């Protein structure tokens, strides 16, 4: 019986408008350079495998066509050559919009804003549209700047665009919706000048005991994970390493770090804050914290972290492996799993529940949308606990899937035992790492969340590696 139930967070971030009374409305002009393409595509660039040309747009004017020139499916992005906003104002709300069209119905296209202070990503917002036909669709996203003096990068992208297919972008705009009102200050009136006394005034001794003050709140002291013990992980026989991250830093070219997102079947909100997602001693830590936190009108009592490779890297076949220590605190729900960019099939390489410290779950889902077929395994470590270092891997090859814990084969399925295997996993899959707090899986095992003590609530990941057969 399978027990893994993972709720997928919406890929498109919700847009938010600033309703703060401190925000002042503006009538900003369109800041996109050459939005009518009078100079052709000179203001735009495209990711590898794409070619740009000028075609007729949504309003009969000019538009940019982005063509996948390769013989493989690509996630492809059209990017402003120079970041559209050169200097942000903290708290200002920006709105990006474009009309999008594709000649390949069934793909997802998006408009995205990313804030950069130098090479450091301060935040991002994305809105996507499922392109069910070749009709034009307008996509709009709002973003509130986190800092002043940063730049805003504007791009439009389409996931899993088939070979020699294209999408078209027309009428791009980027405007400022609101800016924070300047602080109001009242200059105090000058104190009246008293005539100089003719004799020294008697003085009152200062009190020897200061007036009581309310104690400042004390935040919990930060805990840095212990150094990672080195390990020699040889390449599996017959395979070659094709992708890896040893987490000397959070590489934004490899990972998306979700911010202010959540799933319906958990009790936390994922943030990209360094309190929840950070690198230390050569390992990535996703940390759950017990705190009240609100995003887009939703308030929860815990925060946590979530990374994925959506739109950055995906693989249909090969061995995908992680070395990690899992959180022991009751009700923590760490997961290492795969999904493709558009389908509903899911491979759970590892899920666990804090409070069951030698027990992990491996599951294959035909779909997580409704009560469709799935098959799973509950593995028990022969020694130690999952709070020690262990490796978790899946090997997906044509017609089969195999799961490993510390190179021990723990579960396998083939097309002869699952008739839907190839149909459900016919496309490349991306990697997802997340730490949920409470929710459906801890509830199933009767391990409700019991606080989130620092350290015991950490999901610490040494590396993630992808191998493929030679």
């Amino acid at each position: 019986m399978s027990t893994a139930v993972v709720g997928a967070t919406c890929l498109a971030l919700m847009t938010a408008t600033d309703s703060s009374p401190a925000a002042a409305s503006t009538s900003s002009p369109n800041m996109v350079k050459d939005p009518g393409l009078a100079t052709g595509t000179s203001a735009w660039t495209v990711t590898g495998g794409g070619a740009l040309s000028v075609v007729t747009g949504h309003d009969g004017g000019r538009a940019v066509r982005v063509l996948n020139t390769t013989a493989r499916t690509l996630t492809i992005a059209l990017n402003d050559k120079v970041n559209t906003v050169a200097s942000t104002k903290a708290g200002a709300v920006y709105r990006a919009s474009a009309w999008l069209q594709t000649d390949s119905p069934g793909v997802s296209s998006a408009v995205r804003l990313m804030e950069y202070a130098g090479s450091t990503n301060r935040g991002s917002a994305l809105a996507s549209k499922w392109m069910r036909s070749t009709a034009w669709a307008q996509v709009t996203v709002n973003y509130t700047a986190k800092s002043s003096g940063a730049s805003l990068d504007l791009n439009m992208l389409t996931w899993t665009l088939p070979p020699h297919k294209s999408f078209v972008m027309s009428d791009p705009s980027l405007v400022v919706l609101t800016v924070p009102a300047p602080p109001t200050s009242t200059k105090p009136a000058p104190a009246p000048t008293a005539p100089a006394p003719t004799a020294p005034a008697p003085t009152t001794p200062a009190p020897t005991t200061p007036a009581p003050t309310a104690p400042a709140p004390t935040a919990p002291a930060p805990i840095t994970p212990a150094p990672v013990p080195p390990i020699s992980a040889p390449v599996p026989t017959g395979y070659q390493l094709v992708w890896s991250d040893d987490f000397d830093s959070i590489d934004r070219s490899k990972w998306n770090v979700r911010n202010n997102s959540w799933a319906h079947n958990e009790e936390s909100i994922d943030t990209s804050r360094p309190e929840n997602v950070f690198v230390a001693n050569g390992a990535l830590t996703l940390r759950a914290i017990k705190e009240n936190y609100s995003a887009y009108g939703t308030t929860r009592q815990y925060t946590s972290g979530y990374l994925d490779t959506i739109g950055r890297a995906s693989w249909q076949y090969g061995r995908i492996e992680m070395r990690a220590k899992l959180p022991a605190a009751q009700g923590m729900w760490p997961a290492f799993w795969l999904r493709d960019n558009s389908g509903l099939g899911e491979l759970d390489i590892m899920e666990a529940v804090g409070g069951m410290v030698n027990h992990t779950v491996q599951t294959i889902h035909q779909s997580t949308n409704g009560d469709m077929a799935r098959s799973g395994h509950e593995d028990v470590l022969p020694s130690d606990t999952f709070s020690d270092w262990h490796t978790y891997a899946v090997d997906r090859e044509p017609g089969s899937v195999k799961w490993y814990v510390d190179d021990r084969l723990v579960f396998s399925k083939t097309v002869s035992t699952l008739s839907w295997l190839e149909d459900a996993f016919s496309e490349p899959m991306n990697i997802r790492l997340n730490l949920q707090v409470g929710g459906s899986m801890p509830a199933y095992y009767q391990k409700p969340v019991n606080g989130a003590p620092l350290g015991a609530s950490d999901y610490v990941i040494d590396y993630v590696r992808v191998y493929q057969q030679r």
Side-chain angles (χ1 to χ4, degrees):
M1 177 181 64
S2 171
T3 58
V5 182
V6 175
T9 304
C10 208
L11 298 185
L13 297 180
M14 298 173 62
T15 58
T17 55
D18 191 341
S19 58
S20 166
S25 296
T26 71
S27 54
S28 160
N30 186 359
M31 294 180 283
V32 173
K33 183 178 179 181
D34 190 19
L37 305 176
T39 60
T41 63
S42 62
W44 301 92
T45 185
V46 67
T47 52
L52 303 182
S53 60
V54 175
V55 296
T56 301
H58 167 258
D59 56 359
R62 293 183 164 196
V64 176
R65 179 179 183 241
V66 182
L67 174 67
N68 177 2
T69 61
T70 73
R72 64 186 187 279
T73 297
L74 287 181
T75 293
I76 196 164
L78 175 68
N79 190 35
D80 52 356
K81 190 168 289 185
V82 178
N83 286 353
T84 302
V85 175
S87 182
T88 56
K89 185 174 181 62
V93 179
Y94 298 84
R95 170 170 290 175
S97 180
W99 285 90
L100 302 176
Q101 183 187 50
T102 180
D103 58 5
S104 179
V107 298
S108 183
S109 295
V111 175
R112 179 171 63 186
L113 283 173
M114 295 186 290
E115 179 181 355
Y116 283 96
S119 60
T120 302
N121 183 278
R122 296 294 190 191
S124 64
L126 175 149
S128 65
K129 181 76 173 180
W130 185 250
M131 311 294 282
R132 298 180 181 276
S133 69
T134 59
W136 287 99
Q138 189 177 34
V139 182
T140 300
V141 64
N142 289 0
Y143 177 74
T144 303
K146 304 295 190 300
S147 58
S148 294
S151 64
L152 283 187
D153 182 22
L154 170 65
N155 50 78
M156 296 78 180
L157 61 158
T158 293
W159 287 279
T160 61
L161 188 65
H164 311 301
K165 294 295 184 179
S166 63
F167 75 91
V168 180
M169 184 276 296
S170 180
D171 302 329
S173 70
L174 178 57
V175 298
V176 181
L177 289 184
T178 59
V179 294
T184 58
S185 61
T186 304
K187 186 176 180 179
T193 303
T198 57
T203 60
T204 302
T208 57
T209 302
T213 58
T218 56
I223 294 177
T224 301
V228 179
I231 185 173
S232 175
V235 176
T237 303
Y239 286 74
Q240 59 183 343
L241 183 67
V242 297
W243 187 94
S244 67
D245 196 336
D246 292 336
F247 296 111
D248 295 322
S249 64
I250 298 176
D251 187 343
R252 299 286 181 143
S253 69
K254 294 180 177 180
W255 300 100
N256 306 300
V257 183
R258 297 198 185 187
N259 189 46
N260 293 340
S261 65
W262 60 90
H264 69 280
N265 65 333
E266 62 169 323
E267 300 176 35
S268 60
I269 292 178
D270 299 311
T271 91
S272 61
R273 303 176 307 163
E275 294 92 338
N276 294 114
V277 181
F278 61 91
V279 166
N281 292 323
L284 169 71
T285 295
L286 306 183
R287 172 170 288 173
I289 301 173
K290 182 174 175 57
E291 60 178 344
N292 286 338
Y293 188 90
S294 298
Y296 305 124
T298 293
T299 299
R300 292 190 173 173
Q301 284 67 55
Y302 298 91
T303 57
S304 190
Y306 190 136
L307 274 69
D308 61 55
T309 67
I310 297 171
R312 300 187 182 278
S314 56
W315 306 266
Q316 183 172 8
Y317 300 118
R319 177 186 172 107
I320 299 178
E321 179 179 290
M322 170 188 74
R323 182 175 184 241
K325 294 171 63 174
L326 309 184
Q330 181 171 305
M332 297 297 108
W333 179 6
F336 174 38
W337 50 299
L338 310 176
R339 290 190 73 169
D340 66 53
N341 290 334
S342 58
L344 297 174
E346 180 177 309
L347 285 178
D348 297 320
I349 304 172
M350 180 284 304
E351 292 179 284
V353 172
M356 302 173 63
V357 295
N358 63 351
H359 184 105
T360 61
V361 177
Q362 297 74 35
T363 315
I364 183 170
H365 298 259
Q366 183 182 12
S367 170
T368 57
N369 184 16
D371 188 21
M372 298 189 74
R374 65 183 182 222
S375 181
H377 170 77
E378 300 182 13
D379 184 62
V380 178
L381 290 168
S383 63
D384 300 320
T385 72
F386 62 44
S387 294
D388 300 308
W389 291 105
H390 295 281
T391 60
Y392 305 90
V394 70
D395 193 344
R396 162 81 171 114
E397 302 299 342
S400 71
V401 185
K402 297 178 181 179
W403 288 257
Y404 297 87
V405 177
D406 296 331
D407 288 327
R408 175 173 52 92
L409 178 63
V410 297
F411 185 45
S412 64
K413 285 294 175 181
T414 66
V415 70
S416 64
T417 56
L418 296 177
S419 60
W420 44 264
L421 191 153
E422 289 302 306
D423 289 338
F425 302 99
S426 61
E427 297 183 14
M429 290 177 285
N430 52 70
I431 299 173
R432 311 189 183 201
L433 302 167
N434 66 311
L435 174 57
Q436 294 177 284
V437 180
S440 55
M441 189 166 178
Y444 178 90
Y445 286 105
Q446 300 181 36
K447 297 291 182 182
V449 61
N450 182 19
L454 294 186
S457 60
D458 288 353
Y459 181 13
V460 185
I461 300 151
D462 179 16
Y463 65 74
V464 176
R465 296 174 183 171
V466 180
Y467 304 92
Q468 290 184 329
Q469 291 185 356
R470 296 181 183 278

